[in-house]
């Protein structure tokens, strides 16, 4: 698995994009004219006519060097260079990484933008302090679940994938909807990530072996994403999903 340093998160790595958008992603790299240093990288997915976001990918680029991020003019120049190269696309719908805070240059280029929200715990150095900020009901649900299920992490990949997909189907069946992602695709991204130590699977299992819920996290050295989660509607009262979220936060802190 080849990884590059010019990314905001694992979602921008070539190996991940190969999984979620094989033969459909491209990148624009901006180098310093004098030194050749990489100043910015923008990865995107297209069908040749429009740019869009692939499945299971919350956001993408633009990655910018620290030197660029310190200066608004440099950011503006980078954004102009990148999006001038994309003028031939009829439609661009792209979710930028939270790192991309300076959005005025997009307006000046004629783009429309709207604010999205993501919930991220920035500081995990004191995990008990993090937990102390949970609501009383969340703490109560975590404690309640811990008495009814065990959190299991050492599950074989094929069994983890099978369980995850089974519970996803059950979750959507309850809503009378069809789960929109294939089992093959779920298997592909979970297996690749776990085998390359970029994915972590947890499940909440009772003493009788029933799996109440499961969660899959995608991570690198900087960010850990709660990528996929599902529960068995028959055991929804156990509050096990909140326990697995807490388990994921503790894992990310490590």
């Amino acid at each position: 698995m080849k990884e590059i340093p010019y990314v905001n998160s694992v979602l921008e790595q070539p190996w991940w994009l190969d999984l979620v958008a094989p033969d459909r992603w491209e990148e624009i790299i901006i180098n310093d004219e004098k030194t050749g240093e990489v100043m910015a990288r923008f990865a995107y997915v297209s069908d040749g006519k429009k740019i869009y976001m692939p499945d299971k990918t919350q956001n993408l680029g633009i990655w910018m060097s620290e030197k660029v991020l310190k200066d608004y003019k440099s950011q503006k120049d980078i954004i102009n260079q990148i999006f001038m190269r994309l003028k031939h696309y009829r439609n661009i719908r792209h979710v930028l990484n939270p790192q991309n805070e300076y959005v005025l240059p997009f307006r000046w280029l004629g783009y429309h933008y709207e604010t999205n929200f993501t919930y991220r715990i920035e500081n995990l150095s004191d995990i008990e302090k993090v937990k102390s900020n949970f609501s009383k009901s969340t703490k109560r649900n975590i404690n309640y679940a811990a008495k009814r299920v065990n959190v299991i992490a050492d599950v074989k990949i094929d069994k983890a994938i099978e369980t995850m997909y089974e519970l996803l189907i059950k979750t959507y069946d309850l809503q009378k909807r069809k789960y929109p992602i294939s089992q093959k695709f779920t298997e592909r991204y979970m297996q690749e990530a776990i085998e390359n130590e970029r994915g972590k699977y947890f499940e909440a299992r009772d003493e009788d072996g029933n799996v109440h819920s499961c969660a899959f996290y995608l991570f690198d050295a900087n960010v850990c994403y709660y990528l996929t989660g599902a529960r068995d509607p028959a055991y929804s009262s156990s509050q096990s999903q909140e326990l697995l979220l807490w388990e994921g936060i503790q894992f990310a802190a490590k």
Side-chain angles (χ1 to χ4, degrees), residues 5-30:
Y6 316 116
V7 298
N8 295 300
S9 77
V10 63
L11 301 173
E12 296 166 24
Q13 287 290 354
W15 70 267
W16 178 256
L17 291 166
D18 283 340
L19 282 171
V20 298
D23 301 319
R24 289 180 285 120
W25 73 274
E26 299 181 55
E27 63 183 6
I28 295 174
I29 295 177
I30 306 295

Side-chain angles (χ1 to χ4, degrees), residues 6-134:
Y6 316 116
V7 298
N8 295 300
S9 77
V10 63
L11 301 173
E12 296 166 24
Q13 287 290 354
W15 70 267
W16 178 256
L17 291 166
D18 283 340
L19 282 171
V20 298
D23 301 319
R24 289 180 285 120
W25 73 274
E26 299 181 55
E27 63 183 6
I28 295 174
I29 295 177
I30 306 295
N31 301 93
D32 186 286
E33 293 181 358
K34 295 180 179 179
T35 66
E37 175 189 356
V38 176
M39 305 298 290
R41 172 180 176 266
F42 178 61
Y44 62 96
V45 174
S46 81
D47 63 2
K49 296 181 180 179
K50 64 179 183 294
I51 291 175
Y52 62 95
M53 293 298 296
D55 286 333
K56 307 306 294 182
T57 304
Q58 295 181 15
N59 54 70
L60 287 173
I62 307 165
W63 176 87
M64 299 181 189
S65 69
E66 288 296 325
K67 181 179 178 182
V68 173
L69 287 173
K70 290 178 180 178
D71 179 58
Y72 282 154
K73 184 180 183 304
S74 296
Q75 291 188 54
K76 175 188 172 184
D77 291 343
I78 290 292
I79 292 169
N80 285 342
Q81 287 185 60
I82 289 174
F83 280 82
M84 287 301 288
R85 298 188 192 184
L86 303 173
K87 288 193 302 182
H88 60 286
Y89 285 101
R90 296 178 183 175
N91 186 275
I92 296 177
R93 295 187 63 85
H94 200 84
V95 182
L96 292 170
N97 187 278
Q99 185 87 335
N100 303 131
E101 296 179 339
Y102 185 42
V103 295
L104 275 176
F106 294 101
R107 174 177 289 179
W108 296 329
L109 286 169
Y111 290 98
H112 298 282
Y113 58 82
E114 61 184 43
T115 302
N116 288 332
F117 294 90
T118 183
Y119 297 91
R120 180 177 293 184
I121 304 172
E122 296 286 358
N123 188 345
L124 293 173
S125 60
D126 186 343
I127 197 68
E128 289 306 316
K129 184 177 180 180
V130 171
K131 189 176 184 181
S132 71
N133 287 318
F134 291 171

Side-chain angles (χ1 to χ4, degrees), residues 134-192:
F134 291 171
S135 68
K136 290 182 180 180
S137 61
T138 297
K139 293 176 187 175
R140 184 168 59 247
N141 289 343
I142 290 171
N143 293 334
Y144 181 86
K147 295 175 183 178
R148 285 156 179 78
V149 295
N150 297 308
V151 176
I152 311 295
D154 56 343
V155 180
K156 290 184 178 180
I157 294 179
D158 56 346
K159 185 61 179 175
I161 294 168
E162 180 185 334
T163 299
M164 174 63 79
Y165 202 74
E166 179 183 338
L167 295 194
L168 285 167
I169 294 298
K170 286 184 177 181
T171 300
Y172 272 70
D173 281 349
L174 187 66
Q175 304 167 14
K176 297 182 179 180
R177 297 163 59 200
K178 181 180 179 182
Y179 185 58
I181 296 175
S182 71
Q183 183 169 358
K184 185 177 181 180
F185 178 60
T186 303
E187 177 181 347
R188 194 164 70 237
Y189 75 72
M190 284 185 64
Q191 184 164 354
E192 183 80 9

